[in-house]
Amino acid sequence: MSELTRLSAAEIAGAIAVGEVSAEEVTRAHLDRIEQVDDVVRAFLHVDTDGALHAARRVDADRAAGRDLGPLAGVPLAMKDVVVTEGLPTTAGSKILEGWIPPYDATITRKIKDAGIVMLGKTNMDEFAMGSSTENSAFHPTHNPWDLGRIPGGSSGGSSAAVSAFEAPLGIGTDTGGSIRQPAAVTGIVGHKPTYGGVSRYGLIAFSSSLDQAGPFGRTVLDAALLHEVMGGHDPCDSTSIPQGVPPVAAAAREGAGADLTGVRVAVVQELGGEGYQPGVLAAFQEAVSTLRGLGATVLEVSCPHFDYALAAYYLIAPSECSSNLARFDGVRYGLRVGDDGVRSLEEVMSLTREAGFGPEVKRRIMIGTYALSSGYYDAYYGQAQKVRTLISRDFAAAFEQADVLVSPSSPFVAFGIGERVDDPMAMYVNDLCTLPASLAGTPAISVPCGLSEGLPVGLQVMAPALADDWCYRVAAAFEAAYVGTNGPLRAPELIGGAA
Amino acid sequence: MTVTVEDVVARYEPVIGLETHVELSTASKMFCSCATTFGAEPNTQICPVCLGLPGSLPVANAAAIESTIRIGLALNCSIATWCRFARKNYFYPDMPKNFQISQYDEPLCVDGYLDVEVSGRSYRIGIERVHLEEDTGKNTHVGQSGRIHGADYSLIDYNRAGIPLVEIVTKPVPDTGSAAPEVARGYVTELRDILRTLGVSDVRMEQGSLRCDVNTSLNAPGEPWGIRTETKNVNSLRSVERAVRSEMIRQAAVLAAGQRVVQETRHFLETTGDTRPGRSKEEATDYRYFPEPDLVPLAPDPSWVERLRAELPELPAVHRARIRNRLGVSAEDMQQMANAGVVDLVATTVEAGAPVTEARNWWLGYLAQKANERDIEPADLPITPAQVARIVELVGAGTLSVGLARQAVDGALDTGEDIDAVVAAKGLRIVSDANALAVAADEAIAANPDIAAKVRSGKVAAVGPLVGAVMKATRGQADAAAVRELLLERLGAGAATGDT
């Protein structure tokens, strides 16, 4: 494996900036790596070799011309296939969008391109971001580089696996109920879900509009922060985009790397632990809390009683919004069309298209959401879930009176075996127990690797108040510095030579 | 025996209600920046947002919100200090997202009224709500049926999709008796004039920028209100009146036969003036309304609303009172002019020097007829009130007969030239009076003694050249048959006809 694929994004950008290596060389190294390992990892749905090389050469040309390069210029990136990319297939992991070539770029796609970041291709995901294992992809599962028999988390499992397997130093995921943080945790990388509205949703194929947020993956906290700064900021094309600029997350990551948390109040959330959590996960988490205390943090416990209802509320709100968001996939304008024989009615063609084009989990959620929004049920389900959401926000507000950040495991479990939970939706849904509260409250949260359990990565989740994403990065970076200083970085196996 | 509305109200009391949709004339669409020009090539005013492409997001048009508030203020509504858009979910191919962004239980304007004058009586029409939504695309079903069922194929033009649409809903209007059809028409007329005065819409019913659904029910005196029907496809002011009338008569027949009126949507047929059943309300879809999560709530600043209120133009009723006062006409005359859309035209014509009666007669008579022939509003005729005043002056002075004046008007309408220029070019002047013709006839006889002698001797057919001479002398502006008779009379040949 080329050493270039081992470098962090910050290191790669630095090397390109001083001319030690060209962006094209970096891109080729990563394309080679994809070539070598992706038939076992299967992180990508579409590799854009020509587009990536073209983008890399442009960075090299810009540098040769003496033009200013952005802090991540020339750094390769794996893009989740839910983000719209002009001229490149975008499927959201679904058969129903197979063959659709978007005529426009998502705002974050444009920002990535403008920053000179090299998009290598589009990564696998649970269909329409619904799932926690990437097994709900309509195309194929993705394998965890730590153990190819296991899942890479989801729904952004393609991007997390790609970054973990050194196919790309950076990845973009989207997080609706934990789809960045849980895959980051189970593949041993860093993933951050920004404050809702902090990163534009324009061009994200919507699952649940009030919850969806795109965010960065990296193998280091600083890399994630650097990518966050490129992605974030107000977008007039997204009404829910907040006017505030991106918090100073890269500076916070650098500050945190000094490994000093003196005076920082860290609260452990009582409700996010205990029964139902794997002992190895809890042990790694306790160890992480000790480390934080060792860095000077004041550690306390808080109770957020309504977090217990987060799962129930989430599985009403997200399906309700998805039942409406996914209505447009009907075979009339783009994507799959089934049964259009000139005889069947419009309704039949729509119905056959949706029957054939959506997988079982998507159908399940459309059905749940359609039911929950129905006249006569709305108040009891959607309306009630929104009230729970408010109560969860109040729990957060009360907790943040006492603490600067809240911590928990990122997921109750380490990566489980492929196929282990596919027949039990509830067993799949509980993967999101730790991540749902911040999704429902729209507050930022990061997952940073905090050790191994049975040889598999465990993530530490750091949650901060809305707009205080920099606190997530600062605490995560301090923890990372301490952990790596003691244990060395967590790194997935080499995979070369048929590790499967 | 023909049943009339008077027969109906002898046994039943009508309750009417109107839902009016107004396309706003904003430069761009409701949720994107596409143009809104009427009649553009199909699918040329579209973008990812109004096509509902995956990933696209709406951003509300501030000008449309302002227009809606101004409409609400003009209709004496309360303006919400906080409200939301909502999604109305149903599948139909003219709706790109398979949901319409509308407003549900939180409309922008509520609880207003509009006073309507009909036959000297004033009716206060309660306004339930004024809300803002997006228009759908336009389907063209090609095939014999002209409807979606049985079409060979259907074409969809999304230019209209996303044009801002304001829905104005009245409260039920009881106690109008046999005037119900006229009240309905009067309401839509008054509303149209208000919208035009506000400058928020083209209000062209024939182009669909003002569309009306008419609700009608009947009940026996003292009984609760009856079951209502909703009549759609009512595309002119006249149709509004006819639709209510025909529904009253139809429902009365149903009730008189001891049957129940079916709650349903009915279709107005322009050709017959009847209504036909459409979609039945009982099988209507559950729209699964929920707050639109892609848009932030609207919270119009009360001081801004007050400024909009202060800046409202003089509304038609006030304007009419002022004009009526100035013109000194009766309420009925005023109403008639208002219904024809000529109040300002008459007023300006009077200002330009014409007597009120003549100005009114021209605009309500010949000019209204010309506008009707051209399918345009009188105000859009290519003739100015000043030109009309000149016509009145020429007629008053005896320079032109009414017939010649009409020719002059025709000339002005065709060429756009000034009246005097048209009169000069066409050589129009009055020649129909007996004296002028007699003089011309005598001159012709004197100038052609031989012919005159032949005619006197009984050769009636020889009169032709004399008629020609008179016509020439009057430059073709006399009636040839009358000239012939006049000549024969003066030559003592009698009014013989047919013998050649």
Side-chain angles (χ1 to χ4, degrees):
Chain A
M1 169 164 65
S2 162
E3 282 304 307
L4 289 175
T5 61
R6 288 281 172 150
L7 299 177
S8 72
E11 288 165 342
I12 290 172
I16 291 171
V18 299
E20 266 175 37
V21 65
S22 71
E24 183 171 351
E25 284 171 88
V26 169
T27 298
R28 285 194 187 280
H30 286 89
L31 289 170
D32 288 349
R33 174 71 181 169
I34 292 169
E35 182 77 20
Q36 285 162 0
V37 303
D38 208 51
D39 26 336
V40 293
V41 177
R42 310 213 70 186
F44 284 88
L45 288 175
H46 181 87
V47 177
D48 183 26
T49 304
D50 292 346
L53 288 171
H54 180 79
R57 288 188 202 112
R58 214 176 48 210
V59 171
D60 290 334
D62 281 350
R63 187 180 174 279
R67 282 191 278 271
D68 279 347
L69 297 182
L72 290 175
V75 179
L77 173 137
M79 181 70 95
K80 187 179 184 180
D81 204 30
V82 78
V83 180
V84 168
T85 46
E86 183 176 352
L88 271 192
T90 301
T91 65
S94 181
K95 290 275 183 209
I96 210 158
L97 271 174
E98 212 174 358
W100 181 57
I101 307 289
Y104 78 106
D105 268 337
T107 297
I108 57 172
T109 305
R110 189 179 44 71
K111 288 187 171 196
I112 292 302
K113 290 178 176 175
D114 290 350
I117 294 173
V118 175
M119 193 167 64
L120 297 171
K122 307 296 290 292
T123 56
N124 200 17
M125 55 184 286
D126 286 301
E127 185 177 4
F128 287 106
M130 298 175 196
S132 305
S133 69
T134 312
E135 291 167 291
N136 293 335
S137 166
F139 302 104
H140 50 73
T142 293
H143 301 258
N144 192 322
W146 288 80
D147 176 348
L148 295 171
R150 292 177 187 265
I151 58 96
S155 65
S156 312
S159 285
S160 69
V163 173
S164 173
F166 301 100
E167 295 175 88
L170 295 174
I172 283 181
T174 59
D175 189 315
T176 304
S179 284
I180 290 174
R181 292 161 285 163
Q182 182 259 4
V186 302
T187 57
I189 63 169
V190 178
H192 179 69
K193 182 199 88 76
T195 299
Y196 183 80
V199 174
S200 169
R201 290 188 299 115
Y202 187 76
L204 265 54
I205 298 179
F207 160 22
S208 179
S209 307
S210 71
L211 296 161
D212 296 344
Q213 265 299 282
F217 285 117
R219 287 190 297 267
T220 70
V221 174
L222 177 61
D223 282 3
L226 290 169
L227 179 55
H228 185 155
E229 291 199 345
V230 171
M231 299 168 70
H234 179 69
D235 178 11
C237 292
D238 175 0
S239 163
T240 61
S241 163
I242 53 178
Q244 292 87 347
V246 193
V249 292
R254 290 196 178 95
E255 184 195 347
D260 182 3
L261 293 179
T262 307
V264 176
R265 298 168 302 163
V266 174
V268 174
V269 182
Q270 277 170 18
E271 285 75 10
L272 302 180
E275 204 185 326
Y277 286 65
Q278 285 177 344
V281 168
L282 291 177
F285 173 67
Q286 291 310 332
E287 187 68 26
V289 172
S290 300
T291 302
L292 293 172
R293 195 179 282 117
L295 294 172
T298 307
V299 176
L300 58 145
E301 273 211 354
V302 291
S303 173
C304 295
H306 298 98
F307 284 15
D308 288 344
Y309 305 103
L311 188 83
Y314 176 84
Y315 278 98
L316 287 170
I317 292 167
S320 294
E321 293 182 5
C322 102
S323 72
S324 174
N325 282 330
L326 270 56
R328 71 191 67 195
F329 303 105
D330 60 5
V332 172
R333 287 158 297 271
Y334 43 76
L336 185 72
R337 182 187 290 179
V338 175
D340 183 15
D341 56 4
V343 177
R344 288 196 174 93
S345 73
L346 173 77
E347 287 81 2
E348 286 172 309
V349 172
M350 283 181 170
S351 176
L352 288 169
T353 300
R354 290 166 68 80
E355 167 63 29
F358 288 140
E361 183 61 26
V362 172
K363 286 177 190 162
R364 179 180 298 123
R365 297 201 195 187
I366 290 174
M367 295 293 289
I368 292 171
T370 303
Y371 184 80
L373 288 178
S374 296
S375 167
Y377 297 98
Y378 178 92
D379 289 340
Y381 294 126
Y382 191 79
Q384 202 68 9
Q386 291 290 14
K387 288 181 192 161
V388 170
R389 199 170 178 175
T390 304
L391 294 173
I392 287 171
S393 293
R394 287 186 194 159
D395 279 358
F396 266 116
F400 286 128
E401 299 260 304
Q402 302 172 58
D404 298 307
V405 295
L406 311 184
V407 292
S408 76
S410 299
S411 170
F413 322 111
V414 294
F416 50 88
I418 289 175
E420 223 171 78
R421 298 184 182 220
V422 283
D423 296 327
D424 185 352
M426 276 311 290
M428 197 66 91
Y429 294 172
V430 292
N431 277 286
D432 297 334
L433 274 180
C434 307
T435 47
L436 291 172
S439 292
L440 290 164
T443 48
I446 199 167
S447 178
V448 59
C450 72
L452 298 175
S453 166
E454 300 161 46
L456 294 166
V458 175
L460 167 69
Q461 179 177 227
V462 182
M463 296 169 272
L467 306 175
D469 298 63
D470 48 332
W471 274 91
C472 295
Y473 284 97
R474 183 185 163 198
V475 173
F479 176 81
E480 178 185 57
Y483 183 90
V484 172
T486 310
N487 307 294
L490 277 179
R491 287 199 158 173
E494 288 295 318
L495 296 173
I496 303 289
Chain B
M1 188 190 96
T2 312
V3 181
T4 64
V5 164
E6 279 68 26
D7 301 330
V8 172
V9 299
R11 294 187 61 181
Y12 304 105
E13 293 172 349
V15 178
I16 55 172
L18 293 109
E19 282 180 33
T20 312
H21 285 95
V22 185
E23 269 184 5
L24 297 179
S25 53
T26 49
S28 60
K29 290 188 181 180
M30 186 59 226
F31 298 115
C32 63
S33 54
C34 285
T36 56
T37 316
F38 180 81
E41 275 291 295
N43 296 312
T44 55
Q45 295 175 351
I46 51 170
C47 75
V49 176
C50 56
L51 281 182
L53 290 188
S56 64
L57 293 173
V59 176
N61 180 338
I65 293 165
E66 180 174 311
S67 292
T68 308
I69 292 174
R70 292 177 69 230
I71 293 169
L73 291 170
L75 296 176
N76 307 292
C77 290
S78 310
I79 309 303
T81 50
W82 189 90
C83 70
R84 286 185 291 192
F85 287 101
R87 289 190 187 174
K88 181 180 184 180
N89 294 285
Y90 63 101
F91 283 82
Y92 208 70
D94 62 8
M95 218 166 38
K97 303 181 291 293
N98 283 324
F99 61 79
Q100 180 188 29
I101 304 178
S102 179
Q103 293 195 283
Y104 180 50
D105 51 356
E106 299 162 324
L108 200 42
C109 321
V110 294
D111 200 19
Y113 63 86
L114 177 61
D115 290 329
V116 175
E117 294 251 340
V118 172
S119 309
R121 202 191 132 181
S122 181
Y123 296 85
R124 176 154 291 192
I125 311 293
I127 303 293
E128 178 89 35
R129 57 189 282 150
V130 177
H131 81 238
L132 186 52
E133 60 188 27
E134 59 179 339
D135 209 345
T136 60
K138 206 169 161 60
N139 287 337
T140 308
H141 303 297
V142 180
Q144 285 197 330
S145 67
R147 306 184 65 165
I148 192 161
H149 295 289
D152 293 335
Y153 58 93
S154 298
L155 301 170
I156 316 175
D157 177 7
Y158 290 110
N159 283 354
R160 201 179 70 178
I163 288 183
L165 201 58
V166 167
E167 182 174 319
I168 301 163
V169 184
T170 70
K171 293 174 182 171
V173 185
D175 305 325
T176 54
S178 63
E182 289 85 2
V183 171
R185 179 185 183 146
Y187 164 77
V188 180
T189 308
E190 185 71 16
L191 182 62
R192 181 197 63 179
D193 291 351
I194 287 175
L195 296 168
R196 186 182 286 141
T197 302
L198 293 173
V200 294
S201 171
D202 298 336
V203 286
R204 291 183 189 281
M205 293 190 87
E206 74 284 1
Q207 289 184 359
S209 59
L210 180 68
R211 314 199 275 270
C212 205
D213 302 338
V214 182
N215 291 334
T216 315
S217 73
L218 294 180
N219 58 273
E223 296 290 318
W225 291 347
I227 293 164
R228 72 171 193 274
T229 59
E230 181 179 2
T231 304
K232 291 187 179 285
N233 193 41
V234 186
N235 296 328
S236 69
L237 293 173
R238 185 165 161 261
S239 296
V240 171
E241 188 176 331
R242 289 170 81 206
V244 173
R245 185 170 290 129
S246 107
E247 239 342 74
M248 284 173 69
I249 291 168
R250 187 192 68 84
Q251 288 185 17
V254 170
L255 294 173
Q259 294 168 327
R260 279 165 52 94
V261 171
V262 178
Q263 182 173 347
E264 61 184 353
T265 299
R266 299 183 66 87
H267 211 69
F268 181 72
L269 300 172
E270 199 78 48
T271 43
T272 61
D274 293 332
T275 66
R276 288 274 177 273
R279 179 161 50 88
S280 170
K281 274 262 171 173
E282 266 111 351
E283 15 175 303
T285 7
D286 177 353
Y287 291 123
R288 291 175 285 119
Y289 281 102
F290 73 107
E292 166 57 274
D294 284 330
L295 290 166
V296 289
L298 296 177
D301 182 347
S303 66
W304 175 56
V305 172
E306 284 318 304
R307 206 186 74 222
L308 292 178
R309 189 195 304 275
E311 288 170 1
L312 283 181
E314 184 183 58
L315 293 176
V318 179
H319 183 68
R320 273 199 311 273
R322 193 163 59 78
I323 298 283
R324 188 188 151 195
N325 198 30
R326 198 164 78 203
L327 296 181
V329 295
S330 72
E332 283 83 354
D333 284 352
M334 202 60 208
Q335 197 55 48
Q336 201 185 1
M337 289 192 284
N339 289 347
V342 299
V343 169
D344 285 336
L345 297 167
V346 171
T348 316
T349 306
V350 170
E351 262 168 42
V356 174
T357 310
E358 279 75 7
R360 186 176 151 273
N361 289 348
W362 273 101
W363 283 110
L364 282 176
Y366 192 65
L367 291 166
Q369 181 197 325
K370 289 285 139 184
N372 199 35
E373 282 168 13
R374 293 172 182 226
D375 209 14
I376 58 177
E377 294 295 321
D380 295 330
L381 283 171
I383 189 165
T384 63
Q387 287 174 305
V388 177
R390 176 66 179 150
I391 285 284
V392 172
E393 188 185 353
L394 291 172
V395 174
T399 313
L400 295 180
S401 66
V402 169
L404 287 175
R406 287 180 175 182
Q407 289 184 44
V409 166
D410 290 344
L413 291 174
D414 290 341
T415 63
E417 281 186 30
D418 216 50
I419 293 297
D420 288 309
V422 173
V423 168
K426 290 198 169 190
L428 300 175
R429 67 190 161 81
I430 204 150
V431 285
S432 56
D433 68 290
N435 280 340
L437 279 183
V439 170
D442 290 344
E443 282 174 2
I445 290 166
N448 301 283
D450 299 349
I451 298 170
K454 277 186 192 169
V455 178
R456 280 200 188 93
S457 70
K459 286 195 150 187
V460 173
V463 79
L466 294 181
V467 175
V470 174
M471 292 306 286
K472 194 177 173 190
T474 57
R475 287 147 90 185
Q477 289 156 39
D479 182 72
V483 170
R484 186 170 184 273
E485 279 197 36
L486 181 70
L487 285 164
L488 294 178
E489 194 183 293
R490 292 180 102 74
L491 293 170
T497 51
D499 56 337
T500 47

